[in-house]
Amino acid sequence: MQISDLERIARQIRIRDLQAVYEAKAGHIGGEMSAIDIMTALYFKVLKIWPDEPKHPDRDRFVLSKGHTACALYVTLAKRGFLPEEEISTFLKPLSRLNGHPNCNKVPGVETNTGPLGHGLPVAVGMAKAAKLTGASYHTYVMTGDGEMQEGSNWEAISSAAQFQLDNLTLIIDHNRFQQGAALSDTNNLAPFRSKLEAFGWDVTEIDGNSMAEVVPALERRSSNGRPHGIVAHTNKGQGISFMQDKVDWHHKVPNEEQYKIAMAELTEAL
């Protein structure tokens, strides 16, 4: 699949995500838009997966630690064939399995339940360590938010991953510079992340996380020296929608009818 194909799919996923959040009147659209290029590259180019066998033992694992952006994951999984695309219209409705945070017991393709921040990376370290212990060939990817990196559990996991020489683990930090309620620079700003990860013994790649041409090779890179791979993905909150981009309010704000029409026009213009 070519870069242009992946860019087109990412645009389609953004459109469906926008529609789902608007119809549900809830969601976390800003952080979903920043992460969609990475999820598109993973599911349509990089991950070794079988949608008809979501628990295939040889599959690569992807953990969405920033679980509040579940809608983007659901849309991506549906487009990749893990669940019916029409099911997206049930997002957050009573009895729907598409909850506000992903549930591995209900949704095929979800590797572990996430929501409380700071949990996904430690779980992913366990998955990668299990592969080392059993000789399995799968690779584990995990995406965190940058605000989420304030959780101490993440740094314990980073230290452990280096100690265990987990070169079968890739951490992607969605570095959109905003968290709920504030910019990172106004809270507990741990950036720059590269030097900190390198100090723990990680290999690090720094990219534009909304440029598919940079995202794909970074995700495909494999460490072979016993060092885990960290990707610092510089992204934009609300990527692709002019009035949402880099605005803290859009962490979980829902567009009204006029805003929805503007956003939809902007996203469909390039299709």
Side-chain angles (χ1 to χ4, degrees):
M1 188 168 287
Q2 302 301 311
I3 295 297
S4 58
D5 297 321
L6 294 170
E7 290 172 338
R8 174 178 49 80
I9 292 170
R11 181 76 59 148
Q12 293 169 345
I13 291 172
R14 280 191 170 91
I15 289 169
R16 189 66 188 93
D17 182 87
L18 168 67
Q19 182 183 14
V21 169
Y22 175 71
E23 291 176 350
K25 303 303 179 189
H28 291 81
I29 195 167
E32 289 164 0
M33 294 294 153
S34 67
I36 282 173
D37 296 302
I38 294 164
M39 282 195 268
T40 299
L42 281 167
Y43 279 93
F44 289 87
K45 178 70 172 177
V46 178
L47 292 177
K48 180 178 62 177
I49 48 176
W50 296 267
D52 56 339
E53 294 184 70
K55 294 296 186 183
H56 194 293
D58 295 331
R59 72 192 184 283
D60 289 335
R61 273 68 165 169
F62 172 64
V63 174
L64 180 65
S65 189
K66 44 180 282 183
H68 53 281
T69 59
C71 188
L73 177 61
Y74 299 149
V75 175
T76 304
L77 288 171
K79 195 159 188 65
R80 188 63 175 84
F82 283 87
L83 59 147
E85 290 196 61
E86 57 269 23
E87 188 175 350
I88 299 300
S89 63
T90 72
F91 175 59
L92 295 182
K93 290 185 177 178
L95 304 182
S96 173
R97 59 180 176 171
L98 304 185
N99 300 324
H101 294 88
N103 187 326
C104 65
N105 297 309
K106 295 182 178 180
V107 184
V110 173
E111 291 293 343
T112 189
N113 295 14
T114 54
L117 299 178
H119 287 194
L121 178 54
V123 171
V125 167
M127 292 175 174
K129 178 62 173 175
K132 288 287 188 180
L133 290 171
T134 61
S137 62
Y138 65 81
H139 196 90
T140 299
Y141 297 83
V142 54
M143 184 193 295
T144 68
D146 48 4
E148 180 183 0
M149 294 306 294
Q150 295 163 8
E151 297 284 355
S153 53
N154 280 325
W155 296 98
E156 293 179 29
I158 286 166
S159 176
S160 297
Q163 172 68 29
F164 296 145
Q165 298 186 318
L166 300 183
D167 51 15
N168 59 344
L169 174 68
T170 297
L171 162 66
I172 308 121
I173 300 175
D174 181 14
H175 191 10
N176 62 30
R177 308 179 310 286
F178 292 91
Q179 61 190 82
Q180 179 173 314
L184 258 70
S185 58
D186 295 329
T187 54
N188 182 14
N189 190 10
L190 292 178
F193 291 103
R194 179 173 196 148
S195 56
K196 293 177 177 64
L197 290 172
E198 288 176 338
F200 276 87
W202 284 54
D203 280 334
V204 183
T205 305
E206 202 155 3
I207 63 168
D208 178 345
N210 295 132
S211 168
M212 200 64 75
E214 295 187 33
V215 169
V216 171
L219 292 172
E220 290 180 330
R221 179 183 167 192
R222 290 288 185 274
S223 245
S224 58
N225 56 5
R227 300 173 74 182
H229 181 208
I231 299 174
V232 180
H234 294 271
T235 62
N236 298 306
K237 197 103 169 178
Q239 171 70 20
I241 302 172
S242 60
F243 62 86
M244 290 186 190
Q245 189 163 311
D246 296 338
K247 300 291 194 301
V248 68
D249 289 352
W250 290 101
H251 180 82
H252 50 50
K253 188 177 177 180
V254 176
N256 59 32
E257 183 178 358
E258 181 183 356
Q259 291 168 330
Y260 173 71
K261 289 178 179 178
I262 294 170
M264 188 63 73
E266 291 182 357
L267 291 175
T268 56
E269 184 178 3
L271 279 180

